[in-house]
Amino acid sequence: MPIKVQKDLPARAILERENIFIMDEDRALSQDIRPLEILILNLMPIKEDTETQLLRALSNTPLQVDCTFLMLETHTSKNTSASHLNKFYVYFRDVKKKKYDGMIITGAPVELMDYEEVNYWEELKTIMEWSKSHVTSTLHICWGAQAGLYYHYGIPKYEREKKLSGIYRHKVLDRKVPLVRSMDDYIMAPHSRYTEVRREDIETHPQLVILAESEEAGVFLVMSRDGKQVFVQGHPEYDRMTLNNEYHRDLKKGLNPDVPCNYYENNDPFGVPVLNWRNAATTLYTNWLNYYVYQVTPYILEEENGNN
């Protein structure tokens, strides 16, 4: 089944060229089926790229998915036009009375700041608290995963000696858990971060389970045992060229970045990167939508009355 998007969202044209089934609002209204309502809090600076990546990741499922993009009132994006945000995004005040089947909280380029120093931390805390009663399951990505683990469980993040950038191999620890069902024993996934959460801190919380980790990149996939909170300390949704673009951007800034690990053929930063994580990413998002959203969400999503 397709992803439902607004008619002129730029990501639509890109995905249609990839032969991904996209449906606009008019056609969706003619179908006698309730789509899954997914709220996406997009904290990434170049929002159009993240929109395309996440819609692609959510598209490989037999379920119809209706995505709403959320932006923050306490932060102004410098890399995405106001016209794009005003046309395709909503504020929390616009949706806080609604309930959603699923929610995605993306990463953000604020890793080296303490959480309390981030100018939108209070608003993000409000949204994460709201999600516990208004969202069936929430998936957190990279810094979003670190922030979620900190807010919900008090788990700290630590600065690494240098940036972790590249494609890393992760061991799947319990393939019987539905979130990693059908995955291989080892899966590949991109990382791009300066900080990390650690196994020993996660293990102090018996309500959490670690489902995949890497010797080099550390913990990758964590889930609350009730499936309501999923934390991905990486970027499985990344495109083939995303790490390449980040590397050459930092190179032009004079930051002297390391070449992303396990990424380029023959480690040549001017070659075409090898795409070897798409199947694992698709399986992860499909399993999340099926087992932790669709299978447990109520058929009728209620909207609250009053001013809460």
Side-chain angles (χ1 to χ4, degrees):
M1 291 294 284
I3 292 287
K4 175 188 164 192
V5 299
Q6 292 164 275
K7 286 184 178 180
D8 43 2
L9 184 74
R12 173 182 174 145
I14 298 171
L15 296 173
E16 284 183 330
R17 286 197 297 271
E18 297 178 13
N19 203 31
I20 289 175
F21 191 2
I22 298 294
M23 176 183 290
D24 62 33
E25 302 101 321
D26 295 339
R27 184 173 178 186
L29 288 172
S30 69
Q31 293 197 326
D32 187 18
I33 185 173
R34 184 179 85 73
L36 292 178
E37 298 284 346
I38 306 296
L39 184 65
I40 300 176
L41 176 54
N42 187 357
L43 302 174
M44 294 293 278
I46 305 177
K47 300 196 184 302
E48 294 97 325
D49 288 353
T50 304
E51 292 159 11
T52 303
Q53 292 165 8
L54 288 175
L55 291 174
R56 181 187 294 113
L58 295 171
S59 69
N60 287 292
T61 169
L63 308 169
Q64 184 177 317
V65 180
D66 186 355
C67 295
T68 300
F69 288 99
L70 179 65
M71 61 181 170
L72 298 171
E73 294 193 67
T74 49
H75 177 75
T76 301
S77 176
K78 299 177 181 178
N79 298 283
T80 303
S81 70
S83 61
H84 182 90
L85 294 172
N86 292 334
K87 188 170 188 177
F88 299 113
Y89 281 70
V90 298
Y91 287 121
F92 177 59
R93 66 170 183 261
D94 301 318
V95 300
K96 68 179 183 178
K97 293 181 182 179
K98 294 185 63 177
K99 292 191 175 181
Y100 286 86
D101 301 300
M103 182 176 181
I104 296 174
I105 300 176
T106 74
V110 293
E111 298 172 65
L112 295 177
M113 300 172 64
D114 290 339
Y115 295 112
E116 291 78 8
E117 293 178 348
V118 176
N119 63 359
Y120 51 78
W121 178 244
E122 290 301 318
E123 184 177 6
L124 180 57
K125 283 168 54 181
T126 298
I127 293 170
M128 288 192 291
E129 184 63 29
W130 167 88
S131 73
K132 294 184 339 188
S133 56
H134 288 71
V135 179
T136 301
S137 181
T138 301
L139 188 148
H140 310 69
I141 302 171
C142 202
W143 181 83
Q146 296 176 352
L149 286 166
Y150 178 71
Y151 176 74
H152 293 293
Y153 301 100
I155 293 173
K157 62 180 169 71
Y158 302 88
E159 186 174 347
R160 296 176 55 88
E161 291 185 5
K162 61 180 181 178
K163 183 179 182 180
L164 182 76
S165 176
I167 312 301
Y168 296 90
R169 190 176 81 148
H170 309 79
K171 184 176 183 179
V172 176
L173 302 178
D174 188 350
R175 295 173 65 248
K176 294 181 181 179
V177 175
L179 188 62
V180 293
R181 187 170 292 170
S182 300
M183 288 187 182
D184 294 328
D185 291 341
Y186 289 89
I187 59 173
M188 307 299 289
H191 289 264
S192 177
R193 52 185 166 85
Y194 293 92
T195 56
E196 64 184 3
V197 294
R198 295 176 179 169
R199 165 180 270 275
E200 55 265 31
D201 294 321
I202 296 168
E203 288 180 328
T204 64
H205 297 272
Q207 62 270 55
L208 294 175
V209 57
I210 299 172
L211 294 175
E213 64 181 344
S214 163
E215 290 185 4
E216 299 169 285
V219 172
F220 173 60
L221 185 59
V222 181
M223 186 183 74
S224 62
R225 294 186 185 274
D226 62 5
K228 288 186 65 66
Q229 306 287 343
V230 177
F231 307 96
V232 185
Q233 195 182 211
H235 283 287
E237 79 287 352
Y238 266 10
D239 290 337
R240 180 195 299 270
M241 302 303 292
T242 306
L243 287 178
N244 174 79
N245 295 340
E246 290 181 0
Y247 170 75
H248 287 284
R249 177 200 64 199
D250 291 348
L251 204 61
K252 290 179 180 178
K253 291 181 178 179
L255 299 178
N256 194 29
D258 289 342
V259 174
C261 186
N262 306 317
Y263 183 50
Y264 294 107
E265 194 91 55
N266 301 319
N267 210 35
D268 175 11
F270 296 95
V272 177
V274 176
L275 180 63
N276 60 4
W277 64 91
R278 180 67 56 79
N279 285 341
T282 296
T283 301
L284 173 62
Y285 281 95
T286 299
N287 285 349
W288 173 65
L289 281 176
N290 183 28
Y291 296 115
Y292 299 94
V293 180
Y294 175 70
Q295 298 291 345
V296 294
T297 196
Y299 182 77
I300 298 176
L301 288 173
E302 297 177 353
E303 183 167 331
E304 290 185 350
N305 295 318
N307 299 314
N308 292 331

